[in-house]
């Protein structure tokens, strides 16, 4: 895979993961996974539990440090810099600055319980970017309106439903104006009737051209929204392609077996 590191070429992928390996003790979770995502595209990663999907997603923003391989986002190395022809891990400050450009939404909402919805959304721009209070508040109000929660901006997390809390978490990630959004099974902790309201926000982001990588069990969402579907199993990328191909006529027997169980 050719790795481009320019920041100016619009034809370069927004995300490039190159031969990512990750091991926990004797268990090899990722076995050389490579993936490229073009700007404005949505990639959905599906597969069984234990396939390495979430670990791979966390490697994209260096929440997990790959044992080997590397990631570029917007042409920038993630967690490393080149020195004398080799990769050298950078310090925590540089890693945090990089993560500020990559929004991530987890299975659990991870909101600060002692803060209101708008305070949760404002926090990172105030603390990390040192934005003016008025600027951070104006963006937070606009984002909460976008996710349908303007009227609940002064409520605390315990006063919100699970779906509402997850929408606040999405607004919080967007408050840093990321170039990329990562979703790690963002609806898996929700009651079934609340899933749709979160998926609707994710659909609107896709329609607006946000580059997204989504680990998901929502096959219908992947079929309708993804530009590309990736099937992972056993720490490898088994196959990937257009949703119409992967979800309707996969070439690999393991993909067919998985889909026959979940559809």
């Amino acid at each position: 895979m050719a790795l481009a590191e320019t920041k100016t070429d619009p034809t370069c992928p927004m995300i490039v993961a190159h031969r990512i390996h990750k091991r926990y003790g004797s268990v090899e979770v990722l076995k050389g996974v490579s993936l490229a995502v073009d700007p404005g595209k949505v990639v959905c990663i599906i597969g069984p539990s234990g396939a390495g999907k979430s670990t791979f997603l966390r490697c994209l923003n260096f929440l997990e440090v790959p044992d080997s391989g590397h990631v570029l986002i917007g042409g920038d190395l993630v967690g490393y810099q080149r020195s004398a022809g080799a990769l050298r891990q950078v310090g925590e400050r540089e890693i945090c600055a990089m993560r500020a450009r990559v929004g991530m939404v987890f299975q659990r909402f991870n909101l600060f319980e002692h803060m209101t919805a708008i305070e949760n959304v404002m926090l990172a721009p105030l603390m990390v970017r040192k934005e003016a209070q008025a600027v951070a508040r104006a963006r937070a109000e606009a984002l909460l309106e976008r996710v349908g929660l303007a009227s609940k901006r002064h409520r605390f997390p315990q006063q919100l439903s699970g779906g509402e809390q997850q929408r606040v978490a999405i607004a919080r990630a967007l408050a840093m104006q990321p170039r990329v959004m990562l979703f790690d099974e963002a609806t898996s902790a929700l009651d079934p009737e609340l899933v749709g309201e979160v998926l609707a926000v994710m659909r609107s982001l896709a329609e607006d051209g946000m580059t997204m990588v989504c680990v998901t069990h929502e096959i219908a969402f992947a079929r309708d929204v993804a530009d590309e579907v990736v099937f992972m199993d056993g720490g490898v990328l088994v196959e990937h392609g257009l949703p119409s191909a992967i979800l309707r006529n996969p070439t690999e027997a393991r993909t067919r077996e998985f889909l026959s169980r979940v559809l």
Side-chain angles (χ1 to χ4, degrees):
M1 179 184 295
L3 295 180
E5 294 193 50
T6 176
K7 303 176 186 178
T8 58
D9 186 351
T11 66
C12 290
M14 177 62 74
I15 303 172
V16 175
H18 183 65
R19 297 180 181 177
I20 303 298
H21 288 260
K22 183 66 181 179
R23 178 186 294 273
Y24 298 109
S26 62
V27 179
E28 191 175 14
V29 179
L30 298 176
K31 305 173 182 178
V33 178
S34 295
L35 182 69
V37 183
D38 288 332
K41 299 300 183 181
V42 178
V43 172
C44 286
I45 303 177
I46 63 173
S49 297
K53 306 183 303 295
S54 293
T55 300
F56 176 66
L57 201 71
R58 292 170 65 88
C59 284
L60 293 182
N61 71 347
F62 222 64
L63 285 175
E64 295 286 352
V65 180
D67 295 325
S68 63
H70 58 266
V71 174
L72 298 104
I73 292 182
D76 293 322
L77 279 165
V78 174
Y80 298 100
Q81 61 181 208
R82 294 198 184 278
S83 177
L87 297 183
R88 180 180 64 83
Q89 188 169 328
V90 299
E92 188 63 27
R93 176 176 294 183
E94 290 87 350
I95 292 171
C96 289
M98 177 281 304
R99 287 195 188 122
R101 302 192 295 271
V102 181
M104 188 160 184
V105 179
F106 300 88
Q107 298 178 35
R108 295 292 174 180
F109 324 123
N110 298 323
L111 300 177
F112 290 104
E113 296 292 333
H114 65 288
M115 292 184 174
T116 63
I118 194 167
E119 289 170 341
N120 268 279
V121 177
M122 291 173 61
L123 183 62
L126 289 173
M127 299 298 293
V128 177
R129 287 191 169 179
K130 309 300 181 184
E131 288 186 353
Q133 183 93 6
V135 173
R137 179 172 293 276
R139 185 183 303 117
E141 289 180 345
L143 287 170
L144 287 172
E145 181 164 355
R146 175 172 184 169
V147 300
L149 292 173
S151 64
K152 299 183 179 182
R153 61 187 180 276
H154 297 307
R155 294 192 183 182
F156 291 92
Q158 62 267 28
Q159 298 172 311
L160 301 172
S161 70
E164 289 168 341
Q165 290 184 61
Q166 192 63 297
R167 284 186 280 159
V168 173
I170 293 173
R172 178 182 59 186
L174 292 172
M176 292 296 286
Q177 299 177 295
R179 305 178 73 179
V180 169
M181 285 288 288
L182 309 177
F183 292 87
D184 186 10
E185 298 185 10
T187 61
S188 64
L190 302 178
D191 293 333
E193 65 268 22
L194 302 177
V195 169
E197 61 190 50
V198 174
L199 293 181
V201 174
M202 294 170 65
R203 287 174 191 267
S204 72
L205 291 175
E207 291 168 357
D208 286 349
M210 173 65 75
T211 305
M212 297 164 54
V213 181
C214 310
V215 170
T216 183
H217 292 297
E218 301 293 337
I219 302 299
F221 174 82
R223 182 190 62 232
D224 296 341
V225 177
D227 297 289
E228 183 176 28
V229 171
V230 171
F231 175 68
M232 284 185 65
D233 189 29
V236 300
L237 192 159
V238 177
E239 66 177 310
H240 63 100
L242 296 174
S244 57
I246 301 300
L247 299 178
R248 296 178 185 173
N249 190 30
T251 60
E252 299 293 331
R254 182 65 187 96
T255 313
R256 292 195 296 271
E257 178 188 3
F258 172 78
L259 290 172
S260 70
R261 294 178 177 179
V262 301
L263 293 177

